[in-house]
Amino acid sequence: PLSPNLSILMVAGVDTVNSGNDSLFGTAATNPSFQLDAQTTNRFDGRWMQTGMGASVSFTGTPNNGPSLYGIVLDDSADKVHGFVDGASATGTGGSYTTAPNSPADFGIFRNRGKVQFPDGFVGELIIVPSALSLTDRQKAEGYLAHKWGLSGNLPSDHPYKSTIPMVTSWDSYFTLAGTHSAGSVAISLSGLT
């Protein structure tokens, strides 16, 4: 099930957009629902598009081409949704977030909520954490993903992991899941470790 506090990080590259609803990820159309979509019909500008969850928020900055690191943090305690591209805020102070997504949810990648719009491109990696990551933990995850996928040059110059890979001493050094979780509610897959 999706949590009211949720962090989604994705390494993806968008090659072609044919609809403003072409989406990197989203839940099915059962409301409340969301998608991270292109917003425009010929490039990926980025927009947190939702129904019944607060306010939709357009990403700022230049259109995103090629491989990038995308992030969304749903912070229920602050009633905010925050968007990030390559470790930089793309939504300023964030948008209004008032209601958690429908759960259990049909979560899909490279498709919109209606399952009819699909961008051309690729997904390198997707991480979903059932908590609103702190700034420190989000930056560690961004640093890990950026270095793993050769995107560290995309991170802002003041990002703490632009030049160095975050040290991994244990999985707990990255994320702490708040509250209690029933068995089977958290699934984590690791790859690339030696």
Side-chain angles (χ1 to χ4, degrees), residues 2 140 155:
L2 294 179
K140 284 180 182 178
L155 295 174

Side-chain angles (χ1 to χ4, degrees), residues 9 15 35 39 43 48 64-65 76 113 116 119 145-146 149-150 170 181 190 193:
L9 294 107
D15 298 327
Q35 65 190 29
Q39 181 172 287
R43 64 181 187 264
W48 166 258
N64 304 294
N65 299 335
D76 188 46
R113 295 180 286 179
V116 295
L145 289 169
W149 292 97
S170 71
H181 301 277
L190 298 177
L193 299 177

Side-chain angles (χ1 to χ4, degrees), residues 11-133:
V11 173
V14 177
D15 298 327
T16 307
V17 170
N18 299 308
S19 165
N21 284 316
D22 283 0
S23 301
L24 295 183
F25 52 79
T27 59
T30 305
N31 295 329
S33 62
F34 66 84
Q35 65 190 29
L36 179 58
D37 68 25
Q39 181 172 287
T40 60
T41 59
N42 59 356
R43 64 181 187 264
F44 195 87
D45 287 342
R47 171 180 59 181
W48 166 258
M49 184 66 175
Q50 58 71 46
T51 302
M53 294 177 61
S56 296
V57 182
S58 296
F59 281 25
T60 59
T62 59
N64 304 294
N65 299 335
S68 287
L69 172 58
Y70 298 92
I72 291 287
V73 175
L74 302 178
D75 187 345
D76 188 46
S77 62
D79 294 329
K80 292 284 188 176
V81 58
H82 299 278
F84 303 91
V85 177
D86 293 325
S89 175
T91 56
T93 58
S96 171
Y97 171 59
T98 58
T99 305
N102 189 42
S103 189
D106 177 3
F107 185 89
I109 57 174
F110 262 60
R111 63 128 169 106
N112 71 328
R113 295 180 286 179
K115 303 179 187 178
V116 295
Q117 298 295 331
F118 313 93
D120 290 329
F122 68 90
V123 175
E125 189 164 346
L126 173 70
I127 297 175
I128 301 174
V129 180
S131 66
L133 291 177

Side-chain angles (χ1 to χ4, degrees), residues 151-162:
L151 300 173
S152 60
N154 293 7
L155 295 174
S157 60
D158 61 346
H159 195 284
Y161 299 104
K162 181 167 181 74

Side-chain angles (χ1 to χ4, degrees), residues 176-188:
T176 301
L177 301 177
T180 58
H181 301 277
S182 60
S185 67
V186 177
I188 298 172

